[in-house]
Amino acid sequence: MARRAAGAWAALGPLLWGCALALRGGMLYPRESASRERKELGGLWKFRADFSENRRQGFEQQWYRTPLRESGPTLDMPVPSSFNDVGQDGQLRGFVGWVWYEREATLPQRWTQDLNTRVVLRIGSAHYYAIVWVNGVHVAEHEGGHLPFEVDISKLVQSGPLSSCRITIAINNTLTPHTLPPGTIVYKTDTSKYPNSYFVQNTNFDFFNYAGLHRPVILYTTPTTYIDDIDVTTSVDQSTGLVHYQISIQGSEHFQLEVYLQDEEGNIVARGTGGHGQLQVPNAHLWWPYLMHEHPAYLYSLEVRLTVQTAAGYMSDFYSLPVGIRTVAVTKNQFLINGKPFYFHGVNKHEDADIRGKGFDWPLLMKDFNLLLWLGANAFRTSHYPYAEEVMQLCDQYGIVVIDESPGVGIVLSQSYNNQSLQHHLEVMEELVRRDKNHPAVVMWSVANEPASSLEPAGYYFKTLIAHTKALDPSRPVTFVTNSKYDADLGAPYVDVICVNSYFSWYHDFGHLEVIQLQLATQFENWYETYQKPIIQSEYGADAITGFHHDPPLMFSEEYQKSLLQQYHLVLDQKRKEYVVGELIWNFADFMTDQSPVRVLGNKKGIFTRQRQPKGAAFLLRERYWKLANETGYHPPAEKPQYLGKSPFTW
């Protein structure tokens, strides 16, 4: 991705770094209720990339002060989506630097005239650094491309007779040694080979650095005294479910709170008052993973009602939070959900698809979930960044267990382990835990993927990071994902579960399938002997180009991919009886990467193509996963969904 300009946002100096980056307040998903409205701003936005040599023209000319069209030509850009693949401009596809989005939003009259209404702008994801203006006024900045941020814009939209507001968002996708994921800008100074000011963005991760407004942009309202955050943890005492809640309120110190827990039929099964407490649910329906119970993914609803007296009368706020009652625990050789051994058999994924890039898309999401159910998968890891909130909600509803991973991938530079980087990583984990803490499907936090272990500061960095994450949420185990035994001093002593990536007979010993069993067994035995902790084979696989066939199996053929998986499965079947508690294939579907001689239009390790069509390995894994579900004593659904088709195993 080479362009003739400087792309680092640090050149903006105090404009960016003068603001505190830490989010304040809660991060409840914007749900409609009797007291709350929401307006989605999806569709076509005005868009322009700043192709100026220093990438600063938009700031020098203050594009945010007037409609974007007045300062130059614009494109129509769909939101949510990545901007890279929508058009035909190759220069835009690999663009590094600032891009500008703009949208005029018409507001309901009551939003602009009722001073008891609070109007909030929420941006689901802007990759990577975002600056936001409303009607030309700077309102927010955020660092990090995979988590939401929001800002109260009530004063701006209620300051006069307005019927609309102009939202301008500048986004910079430049990655530095201190971002997550990290990267470097390398300037090519040999003018006999490169033009003046030529640079490339280098990264150390294997997926394309898609950028833009990837997730929904929403305006929503609350009363001026409102429910700011809800924190729910659950436990079980024999057959009684215990729901521990803590609620924070903003806008007033004098209020009343009523809390009701409703079952799926709408019956109130428990009630409480006040900002914190414990609800007891006799004969509780527990939240079970898919295929682990005849009624998986049971969700209660925590209904919170806030009442406050004002000079104009009583004001109320209502919020409904789905709640799954379940427990998670780890022993030295088991992962337990509700006290029963759980075996992860699932996938790693990417938010990636044709044209839309990493943009959120409901049809694509439902296709992926239907494929997961067809496959018999009960889990996935959000490799290598947090996924959209709507994904987490579907996991709650379908019983798909989640290892929730931060964007800490490709950390291989010594400068990425300094205090600046650590502070940012800690803030990202805080944002992630704040957003996803109430999802029963989320059973473990992953703080990083395959960090460089030989660098001296790494041990302190990850010891601090893991301890901080456990302090944020003591109710869930913590892991990091490794591909090296040298990580012994990095984080393995501090995590609860060890996740191991290995690609035997792919990235080394090319084509020699016969060495897999010995090497994999040795890997497991060495890790367990050292740490006495349960292990997940968190990545394994091989590229296969759909339609390429060869017998005997050769690399890149569908037969080689299947044969490699079968060799892994032979060892996994031995070790899952001892201390291996899961296997996650790399990858669910083919995905785009940077161009290189070893990538043919992206990474082809998917068991499905990028268009979600199955390769031979998909049928192999489907047979295995349904068999695992039966052999481990789990129960299939009470009623087989029609879209699952006929299973080769007993129901």
Side-chain angles (χ1 to χ4, degrees):
M1 296 182 291
R3 291 296 173 262
R4 301 177 58 185
W9 64 67
L12 293 177
L15 174 63
L16 290 176
W17 302 112
C19 294
L21 298 179
L23 294 179
R24 306 203 181 273
M27 193 49 67
L28 291 174
Y29 185 77
R31 301 179 184 277
E32 289 190 309
S33 70
S35 59
R36 298 178 174 224
E37 298 176 274
R38 58 179 273 166
K39 180 181 180 68
E40 296 205 23
L41 300 182
L44 295 181
W45 288 51
K46 297 302 179 184
F47 173 90
R48 182 186 304 142
D50 186 346
F51 284 106
S52 64
E53 189 165 290
N54 65 2
R55 298 294 200 260
R56 288 177 50 85
Q57 187 178 64
F59 297 97
E60 293 166 350
Q61 298 181 358
Q62 300 181 335
W63 290 354
Y64 51 87
R65 288 196 174 275
T66 59
L68 199 56
R69 66 180 182 275
E70 295 184 8
S71 55
T74 61
L75 301 174
D76 288 331
M77 184 60 66
V79 173
S81 76
S82 302
F83 65 74
N84 309 79
D85 289 345
V86 172
Q88 295 302 108
D89 186 350
Q91 191 179 18
L92 184 60
R93 185 182 190 276
F95 181 80
V96 177
W98 289 100
V99 298
W100 293 72
Y101 286 80
E102 180 189 84
R103 167 72 186 263
E104 292 275 350
T106 301
L107 304 181
Q109 190 178 58
R110 60 187 172 276
W111 290 22
T112 62
Q113 295 184 358
D114 183 358
L115 299 184
N116 289 320
T117 294
R118 175 174 166 266
V119 183
V120 181
L121 171 64
R122 182 187 179 97
I123 295 155
S125 172
H127 185 76
Y128 178 79
Y129 197 103
I131 308 176
V132 185
W133 297 264
V134 173
N135 295 331
V137 178
H138 174 274
V139 296
E141 298 184 23
H142 183 256
E143 180 179 7
H146 307 91
L147 289 164
F149 63 101
E150 61 184 31
V151 59
D152 186 334
I153 63 170
S154 306
K155 292 182 180 179
L156 283 172
V157 301
Q158 295 170 350
S159 59
L162 295 174
S163 60
S164 67
C165 66
R166 178 169 48 84
I167 300 167
T168 308
I169 306 174
I171 304 173
N172 195 318
N173 64 340
T174 308
L175 301 179
T176 76
H178 310 300
T179 58
L180 283 181
T184 55
I185 295 293
V186 178
Y187 289 89
K188 303 292 188 177
T189 57
D190 185 346
T191 56
S192 69
K193 295 182 178 180
Y194 305 99
N196 290 330
S197 302
Y198 194 85
F199 75 93
V200 293
Q201 168 81 79
N202 284 348
T203 60
N204 288 286
F205 52 81
D206 189 33
F207 54 92
F208 191 73
N209 187 34
Y210 280 114
L213 290 172
H214 283 155
R215 297 175 189 160
V217 179
I218 296 171
L219 288 168
Y220 74 94
T221 66
T222 72
T224 49
T225 298
Y226 60 96
I227 301 163
D228 178 59
D229 199 11
I230 304 172
D231 191 350
V232 168
T233 57
T234 63
S235 57
V236 179
D237 182 4
Q238 296 181 345
S239 64
T240 299
L242 304 176
V243 178
H244 314 266
Y245 67 88
Q246 185 164 334
I247 304 168
S248 65
I249 305 299
Q250 293 290 336
S252 176
E253 296 181 355
H254 306 287
F255 54 83
Q256 292 182 335
L257 271 175
E258 298 173 275
V259 179
Y260 305 92
L261 192 70
Q262 296 181 351
D263 63 17
E264 288 187 346
E265 285 72 44
N267 302 309
I268 296 175
V269 296
R271 65 184 70 207
T273 58
H276 58 89
Q278 175 183 281
L279 304 179
Q280 298 187 8
V281 186
N283 301 312
H285 299 282
L286 301 186
W287 187 94
W288 291 97
Y290 177 53
L291 299 179
M292 200 174 178
H293 191 270
E294 59 183 352
H295 296 294
Y298 192 96
L299 291 174
Y300 291 89
S301 179
L302 187 72
E303 306 293 330
V304 181
R305 176 174 181 173
L306 164 72
T307 305
V308 60
Q309 187 172 12
T310 69
Y314 286 98
M315 177 189 300
S316 296
D317 189 23
F318 304 88
Y319 193 86
S320 178
L321 179 74
V323 171
I325 300 176
R326 62 103 180 94
T327 63
V328 173
V330 175
T331 71
K332 73 174 186 178
N333 62 354
Q334 289 183 319
F335 194 98
L336 305 174
I337 295 181
N338 299 330
K340 292 187 177 181
F342 176 76
Y343 187 78
F344 296 77
H345 49 86
V347 302
N348 294 275
K349 292 183 88 275
H350 265 297
E351 291 185 315
D352 172 277
D354 288 331
I355 301 173
R356 58 189 66 76
K358 290 192 179 301
F360 178 81
D361 181 74
W362 274 113
L364 177 69
L365 181 59
M366 291 313 305
K367 179 65 174 180
D368 283 0
F369 268 80
N370 283 326
L371 288 175
L372 289 172
L373 297 176
W374 174 87
L375 197 63
N378 63 9
F380 68 78
R381 174 168 66 114
T382 67
S383 49
H384 297 295
Y385 37 80
Y387 291 179
E389 295 162 278
E390 293 81 359
V391 176
M392 299 296 104
Q393 293 163 12
L394 283 183
C395 289
D396 292 342
Q397 296 168 28
Y398 283 83
I400 304 298
V401 166
V402 177
I403 300 174
D404 208 350
E405 188 161 281
S406 86
V409 58
I411 308 177
V412 301
L413 303 172
S414 59
Q415 56 264 50
S416 295
Y417 285 110
N418 66 12
N419 287 336
Q420 179 183 342
S421 297
L422 176 58
Q423 183 59 37
H424 178 46
H425 207 150
L426 295 173
E427 290 172 355
V428 168
M429 291 309 303
E430 289 177 8
E431 293 183 24
L432 175 57
V433 172
R434 184 181 303 146
R435 192 195 75 166
D436 290 348
K437 62 189 175 185
N438 293 323
H439 289 290
V442 175
V443 300
M444 187 158 46
W445 306 112
S446 172
V447 299
N449 177 77
E450 297 185 6
S453 56
S454 58
L455 302 173
E456 185 176 347
Y460 171 78
Y461 184 102
F462 280 99
K463 180 179 179 180
T464 303
L465 182 63
I466 293 165
H468 183 70
T469 304
K470 289 185 175 183
L472 290 171
D473 180 18
S475 70
R476 290 178 176 89
V478 175
T479 188
F480 77 100
V481 182
T482 176
N483 64 350
S484 170
K485 189 66 174 68
Y486 294 108
D487 288 328
D489 296 325
L490 180 65
Y494 315 114
V495 298
D496 303 294
V497 177
I498 295 173
C499 288
V500 183
N501 299 344
S502 60
Y503 290 92
F504 303 124
S505 302
W506 186 257
Y507 288 123
H508 48 82
D509 295 309
F510 319 128
H512 292 284
L513 296 169
E514 66 275 7
V515 305
I516 291 177
Q517 291 188 49
L518 175 61
Q519 293 182 5
L520 184 60
T522 300
Q523 166 199 277
F524 287 141
E525 290 160 6
N526 287 345
W527 277 103
Y528 192 74
E529 181 180 357
T530 304
Y531 296 107
Q532 299 288 300
K533 294 180 180 181
I535 300 171
I536 295 175
Q537 182 68 44
S538 44
E539 290 182 24
Y540 71 107
D543 286 75
I545 299 175
T546 184
F548 277 29
H549 297 284
H550 203 284
D551 186 35
L554 295 183
M555 294 178 73
F556 293 97
S557 69
E558 292 192 43
E559 287 75 18
Y560 190 90
Q561 185 184 45
K562 291 172 60 178
S563 297
L564 185 145
L565 302 189
Q566 288 171 324
Q567 292 298 308
Y568 267 82
H569 296 162
L570 291 172
V571 180
L572 287 166
D573 281 340
Q574 298 170 12
K575 299 303 180 183
R576 66 185 172 90
K577 300 173 183 177
E578 302 175 40
Y579 46 76
V580 170
V581 297
E583 56 190 74
L584 304 176
I585 189 69
W586 187 270
N587 192 284
F588 172 73
D590 295 345
F591 56 91
M592 187 53 63
T593 65
D594 283 342
Q595 299 181 67
S596 81
V598 297
R599 292 286 177 248
V600 184
L601 292 178
N603 189 305
K604 294 292 192 288
K605 291 188 179 67
I607 60 170
F608 298 99
T609 67
R610 203 178 188 212
Q611 296 73 36
R612 276 47 179 185
Q613 295 306 310
K615 303 177 189 178
F619 297 96
L620 173 72
L621 275 182
R622 181 176 189 247
E623 181 176 343
R624 175 170 178 79
Y625 287 173
W626 283 102
K627 185 177 180 181
L628 284 171
N630 284 316
E631 285 184 358
T632 51
Y634 302 165
H635 301 281
E639 296 182 2
K640 180 175 64 173
Q642 292 181 357
Y643 50 77
L644 289 180
K646 184 177 180 181
S647 170
F649 302 103
T650 58
W651 281 88

